[in-house]
Amino acid sequence: MKSRIDPLTIAAMTVTVVSISATAPLTAAATASPLAMAFWRNCLGFAVLGPLLLLLRRREVVRVARGERGILRREQWRPLVFGFLGATALALHFAAFMTSTRLTSVAMSTALVATQPVWQALIAAVQGAKASRRTWTGLLLSVAGAAAAAGLDIKSGGTALLGDLLALVGAIAQAGYTALSEKSRADVSTPLYSTFTSLVCGMELLVVCRLADIPLTGFDRSTQLSLLGLLLLPQILGLGSLNFVLGRTSATTMSVLLLLETPVAALAAWQFMGQDIVIATIPGLLLIIVGATIVVTSGGEQFAPALDEHGVATPRPAHPPHFPQSAPVPQRLTFPRTAGRDPRLDWATYTESPTITLTYHGAGAFDTLSMRKPRHTAEEEPFIDDPTVSLTAPTRRR
């Protein structure tokens, strides 16, 4: 994608980073239970995503509701299960991250949660992908920075170390949500999937709050203002401006810019909440950001092609594979069967969607990326299940 960096795009980038950076300070400023805040955070997300889904993808919702997509067929149960697991990982992310903002500083919480790309790279490595040297360098820098920054909390004791550990759990859960989402998004669009996960995540957090007898109403004014701020800033302004920017620049660029959430959130907590920034933690926080930046910017070099059972690399095709047709044999005119599927269309699944890798605290963008399917001309033969059968006359579009 060719980036268009103009004053309007720069302004939208600024709004995106500032709005998303308000998540941790607003959560830390509230007095309600973090689990209750996590529940309402997802309810607010569903309240925004639901109407947008009905507005932008109404036909898709109707088709799924009527079963025309066959979403509950036997072969679709596996993606559905991964979707529920992804929503559970998202619920764990919200619960751990929002609790960590109360136990440790906003700077430490946001910096450790920003290591999500690092854990996502490790998950991919466990699944068999071979990480490049550039990626491992970023991993080591992030780990070293986390150890250096958390070392002060270990010495000071108290609940700060627990908050650091919960922030890391939130990052790992976010990485797990991303990995599970890649396996579950088989037949639904990003808006529908984001709305689905917000709904399931909110229902799971509701059950936890009820079992733990956590009140969900009767909040004081500071909590009400925090919830209102979460709705207006990260959910509406952040999501809207992020979608606008994604139409003008790459997902990698925005992934790097979103790492600025740590310093911006730390400055906001210092200005409005009086949280001092410990000078000794700055080198570690910088190492975390630099390491995560290296991992994010690795791009196509992040993982080398996986090897098959014979030790031969199997890279992704850069172009749709060509399936040669047999030489024409004079036979009777045969019409293609509509049930047949051109295997060249499977190449379109290799297209990377930035809304899977580009998520902030579980919120995915309503991208406008379309699948790069092979183009067919009017003179091209339609696909026939039997490659030995061909048309004796050229097909014409009526």
Side-chain angles (χ1 to χ4, degrees):
M1 175 187 295
K2 184 178 181 180
S3 299
R4 292 183 291 170
I5 305 300
D6 50 26
L8 184 59
T9 304
I10 295 176
M13 289 178 175
T14 304
V15 171
T16 301
V17 174
V18 173
S19 300
I20 293 174
S21 301
T23 302
L26 288 173
T27 304
T31 58
S33 169
L35 291 177
M37 293 289 294
F39 164 73
W40 284 111
R41 175 73 168 83
N42 281 272
C43 284
L44 295 176
F46 180 76
V48 173
L49 294 176
L52 285 178
L53 177 67
L54 295 177
L55 179 64
L56 301 177
R57 303 293 180 115
R58 181 175 56 185
R59 293 182 179 179
E60 181 184 12
V61 175
V62 172
R63 285 196 299 266
V64 172
R66 292 178 177 177
E68 294 178 10
R69 284 286 187 95
I71 196 169
L72 295 181
R73 292 180 301 176
R74 179 177 300 179
E75 59 270 21
Q76 292 297 330
W77 277 107
R78 183 173 179 271
L80 190 63
V81 170
F82 278 115
F84 274 103
L85 293 178
T88 303
L90 182 60
L92 178 59
H93 161 76
F94 276 115
F97 166 67
M98 300 183 80
T99 303
S100 69
T101 60
R102 307 287 183 85
L103 302 178
T104 187
S105 64
V106 169
M108 282 296 298
S109 178
T110 53
L112 293 175
V113 167
T115 61
Q116 179 260 336
V118 174
W119 300 107
Q120 188 173 342
L122 289 177
I123 291 176
V126 171
Q127 292 176 341
K130 185 179 179 181
S132 63
R133 292 182 179 179
R134 180 183 174 91
T135 301
W136 284 116
T137 301
L139 296 177
L140 293 177
L141 287 178
S142 296
V143 171
L152 297 177
D153 291 337
I154 296 177
K155 294 180 181 179
S156 60
T159 59
L161 179 60
L162 178 59
D164 296 344
L165 294 176
L166 285 176
L168 285 176
V169 171
I172 298 173
Q174 174 77 348
Y177 163 75
T178 303
L180 291 168
S181 298
E182 291 176 350
K183 294 181 177 296
S184 61
R185 285 191 59 205
D187 197 37
V188 294
S189 64
T190 297
L192 180 57
Y193 183 77
S194 299
T195 306
F196 167 77
T197 53
S198 296
L199 177 61
V200 175
C201 180
M203 294 176 62
E204 291 177 346
L205 289 171
L206 176 62
V207 172
V208 173
C209 290
R210 289 302 184 187
L211 293 177
D213 198 19
I214 296 176
L216 299 176
T217 56
F219 300 144
D220 56 13
R221 187 172 183 81
S222 63
T223 301
Q224 294 175 357
L225 292 177
S226 295
L227 290 173
L228 180 61
L230 288 174
L231 174 62
L232 296 179
L233 292 177
Q235 201 63 39
I236 295 181
L237 285 179
L239 185 63
S241 57
L242 176 61
N243 280 279
F244 176 80
V245 172
L246 279 179
R248 293 169 172 257
T249 187
S250 64
T252 301
T253 300
M254 281 310 302
S255 297
V256 174
L257 286 178
L258 288 179
L259 294 175
L260 295 176
E261 177 186 2
T262 298
V264 174
L267 290 175
W270 170 72
Q271 179 68 29
F272 299 105
M273 300 174 57
Q275 283 192 5
D276 295 331
I277 302 176
V278 182
I279 303 300
T281 61
I282 293 180
L285 298 180
L286 290 177
L287 280 178
I288 294 175
I289 297 176
V290 170
T293 301
I294 292 176
V295 173
V296 169
T297 55
S298 296
E301 300 177 358
Q302 181 173 349
F303 298 106
L307 302 180
D308 59 14
E309 57 183 359
H310 302 290
V312 179
T314 55
R316 273 182 189 178
H319 304 283
H322 174 66
F323 290 85
Q325 300 289 337
S326 303
V329 179
Q331 292 185 11
R332 63 182 180 84
L333 188 66
T334 305
F335 293 95
R337 295 189 295 270
T338 57
R341 174 179 173 83
D342 192 335
R344 289 176 291 181
L345 295 183
D346 293 336
W347 173 83
T349 60
Y350 290 115
T351 302
E352 181 185 3
S353 173
T355 58
I356 288 298
T357 58
L358 179 56
T359 56
Y360 62 95
H361 306 303
F366 276 40
D367 69 293
T368 57
L369 182 69
S370 60
M371 301 290 281
R372 294 196 297 260
K373 295 182 179 179
R375 296 181 179 179
H376 298 278
T377 61
E379 294 78 15
E380 185 176 350
E381 285 186 9
F383 177 75
I384 304 176
D385 290 340
D386 186 2
T388 63
V389 179
S390 61
L391 299 176
T392 58
T395 58
R396 291 185 174 86
R397 193 181 296 272
R398 294 183 178 179

